[in-house]
Amino acid sequence: MLNHLWQVFKDYYKACSMGNGTSRLYSALAKTLNSSAASQHREYLESPDPEHLEPIDPKELLEECRAVLHSRPPRFQRDFVDLKTDCPSSHPPIRVMQWNILAQALGEGKDNFAQCPVEALKWEERKCLILEEILAYQPDILCLQEVDHYFDTFQPLLSRLGYRGTFFPKPWSPCLDVEHNNGPDGCALFFLQNRFKLVHSTNIRLTAMALKTNQVAIVQTLECKESSQQLCVAVTHLKARSGWEQFRSAQGCDLLRNLQNLTQGAKIPLIVCGDFNAEPTEDVYKNFASSSLNLSSAYKLLSPDGQSEPPYTSWKIRTSGEYRHTLDYIWYSKHSLSVRAALDLLTEEQIGASRLPSFNYPSDHLSLVCDFSFNNEPDGLS
Ligand SMILES: NC(=O)C1=CN([C@@H]2O[C@H](COP(=O)(O)OP(=O)(O)OC[C@H]3O[C@@H](n4cnc5c(N)ncnc54)[C@H](OP(=O)(O)O)[C@@H]3O)[C@@H](O)[C@H]2O)C=CC1
Ligand SMILES: [Mg+2]
């Protein structure tokens, strides 16, 4: 106990000398004094045994994560913006989270982040920041890109939190080029099993100009247990880098074609989450905005006129320069779904001069979170 307290105080001085806030520290200190702290006893974080299936209380996992992160600056506050409160709904909203979490192997071995300290990228702590973000918003549906710790971290932990997960790795993941990698990165889709039943699941290797590419998508049809309404959800991560705009556009066309079939010609309401690696000026964005699937991009609703995308969803400094781009989107069927609320983005001040990732935030992409409801509920309330 004394040793642990001494460590907490050492961490306190370290945090102060870094000029960071101390609220995490107070919480860790209180925990140490009040109980046999979770920081000493990482029951969930250190035993992600796939055979271990007892449910986890999200609050307890969050406490474990906070104990691991006690010497880091506190999480930034992000608020939900209410967008549609006039229409009452008899069912709880469906919360959807879209997030490129940054593959561990790419962050350490390929991305060339120039301002992010290497200590901020340590997996044992960074994974707690990622889990903390997921646990803070508790999405019903979670769509992730750049997942290279599915089997050892996210699948075992999230399944004990009540999620069913699906992972589809990239066929030639660039993670595999990195020494000591943890396997390929890919897309993952999780949904809460107490809210949805899986009706249909498809893994798609996207094509461009009739050729198979290195980019993938997962598309699932879910049935809401409360309303019996069906919902189709897709997650994707399109080809990165400038010079590949036509390639991304072709991949987007392939995904749209697949989605036409999987939604039975737009009959089933659809949500598409992705890191499209494309600004709104690109063809792939325009094709999604004008498709016969009648999709709209949820985060436009945060702009004053409801017509503009946010100024950024990804902000980083590489050795090659600073990159601030809007690349991530949550598309939804605009006639059958409404966005009731959306999580505001981090401000430039919160992101800080070194940009992302950082000690505060684990990825170079921000998470996007929206609450949806169906427009036509069977009981006719909305
Ligand atoms: N062995 C083989 O035959 C093959 C191997 N490969 C491997 O895959 C790699 C390419 O795969 P592909 O899927 O097309 O990759 P992408 O070009 O789509 O990028 C892969 C990752 O790199 C990140 N990234 C984007 N821009 C940069 C940058 N400027 N510097 C560093 N990282 C960046 C992206 O992150 P974000 O999305 O966040 O921007 C993305 O997650 C090749 O480099 C090779 O290693 C690929 C095909 C065949
Ligand atoms: Mg990346």
Side-chain angles (χ1 to χ4, degrees):
M1 177 74 161
L2 275 176
N3 278 348
H4 183 66
L5 264 178
W6 174 235
Q7 187 56 46
V8 168
F9 278 113
K10 278 203 299 193
D11 288 332
Y12 171 80
Y13 283 111
K14 197 168 129 204
C16 288
S17 67
M18 283 159 45
N20 295 321
T22 54
S23 68
R24 279 191 200 286
L25 190 72
Y26 281 123
S27 126
L29 200 53
K31 208 166 174 42
T32 306
L33 293 168
N34 291 338
S35 66
S36 61
S39 55
Q40 281 179 314
H41 184 61
R42 288 175 203 160
E43 185 185 344
Y44 304 128
L45 289 167
E46 284 178 2
S47 60
D49 175 2
E51 301 300 310
H52 210 100
L53 294 170
E54 295 106 79
I56 302 177
D57 178 348
K59 284 200 204 94
E60 286 180 25
L61 181 58
L62 195 54
E63 281 304 315
E64 279 195 23
C65 289
R66 288 186 172 151
V68 171
L69 297 167
H70 70 271
S71 64
R72 292 211 176 194
R75 277 187 90 247
F76 286 127
Q77 176 69 27
R78 288 170 73 185
D79 295 321
F80 278 92
V81 178
D82 282 335
L83 295 164
K84 196 173 196 291
T85 46
D86 52 326
C87 253
S89 170
S90 57
H91 301 296
I94 296 167
R95 178 162 291 180
V96 177
M97 183 174 199
Q98 146 60 32
W99 201 14
N100 176 332
I101 58 171
L102 174 63
Q104 185 61 18
L106 299 183
E108 285 184 317
K110 283 242 168 183
D111 265 288
N112 299 317
F113 296 124
Q115 303 274 323
C116 175
V118 282
E119 308 86 70
L121 291 175
K122 279 197 311 199
W123 176 242
E124 286 312 311
E125 292 180 21
R126 202 173 74 84
K127 82 171 174 197
C128 290
L129 273 181
I130 297 172
L131 288 167
E132 192 184 35
E133 179 94 344
I134 295 168
L135 290 164
Y137 303 119
Q138 302 202 5
D140 301 303
I141 297 170
L142 172 63
C143 295
L144 303 177
Q145 298 82 32
E146 292 198 27
V147 178
D148 65 345
H149 276 271
Y150 180 82
F151 294 106
D152 63 357
T153 303
F154 295 106
Q155 198 280 331
L157 284 174
L158 292 175
S159 72
R160 293 179 65 190
L161 290 165
Y163 290 91
R164 174 168 175 162
T166 302
F167 174 61
F168 193 30
K170 293 171 74 166
W172 294 101
S173 162
C175 293
L176 300 176
D177 297 342
V178 178
E179 209 183 345
H180 309 304
N181 69 76
N182 195 57
D185 76 306
C187 292
L189 200 165
F190 294 89
F191 65 84
L192 273 183
Q193 299 197 81
N194 64 5
R195 295 214 61 189
F196 303 100
K197 193 171 86 184
L198 181 63
V199 176
H200 186 262
S201 184
T202 322
N203 290 351
I204 302 169
R205 183 170 177 186
L206 296 173
T207 63
M209 299 100 180
L211 295 172
K212 285 182 177 168
T213 71
N214 201 24
Q215 277 62 39
V216 299
I218 303 170
V219 186
Q220 296 192 331
T221 303
L222 308 178
E223 186 181 300
C224 296
K225 290 192 172 170
E226 303 102 1
S227 66
S228 301
Q229 299 230 33
Q230 288 201 350
L231 176 67
C232 189
V233 182
V235 51
T236 195
H237 183 191
L238 301 186
K239 171 77 185 151
R241 298 163 212 268
S242 57
W244 292 85
E245 293 77 11
Q246 287 316 305
F247 196 85
R248 275 191 285 278
S249 172
Q251 290 182 326
C253 289
D254 186 39
L255 183 55
L256 286 169
R257 259 191 312 274
N258 276 283
L259 291 170
Q260 274 289 351
N261 289 334
L262 292 164
T263 59
Q264 298 165 11
K267 278 204 200 79
I268 304 174
L270 172 66
I271 292 175
V272 186
C273 292
D275 171 0
F276 279 60
N277 267 311
E279 286 277 0
T281 47
E282 273 196 34
D283 282 352
V284 62
Y285 181 96
K286 292 178 191 160
N287 293 340
F288 266 72
S290 62
S291 100
S292 56
L293 286 167
N294 292 312
L295 298 173
S296 187
S297 169
Y299 263 69
K300 279 201 312 187
L301 295 169
L302 284 184
S303 66
D305 63 355
Q307 299 301 310
S308 317
E309 290 291 348
Y312 50 83
T313 61
S314 175
W315 201 341
K316 62 204 126 206
I317 303 174
R318 290 197 163 111
T319 43
S320 49
E322 183 160 353
Y323 299 87
R324 191 189 90 150
H325 291 296
T326 302
L327 306 173
D328 307 278
Y329 305 96
I330 300 180
W331 296 93
Y332 68 100
S333 299
K334 59 187 172 201
H335 300 315
S336 44
L337 295 167
S338 288
V339 188
R340 306 194 76 83
L343 183 66
D344 218 347
L345 296 159
L346 288 177
T347 62
E348 176 171 5
E349 194 187 3
Q350 287 173 319
I351 287 173
S354 300
R355 310 314 183 199
L356 305 173
S358 66
F359 278 111
N360 301 74
Y361 201 79
S363 175
D364 54 330
H365 291 253
L366 297 174
S367 63
L368 308 183
V369 186
C370 291
D371 288 344
F372 287 97
S373 62
F374 289 102
N375 290 339
N376 299 307
E377 291 187 350
D379 58 14
L381 262 183
S382 61

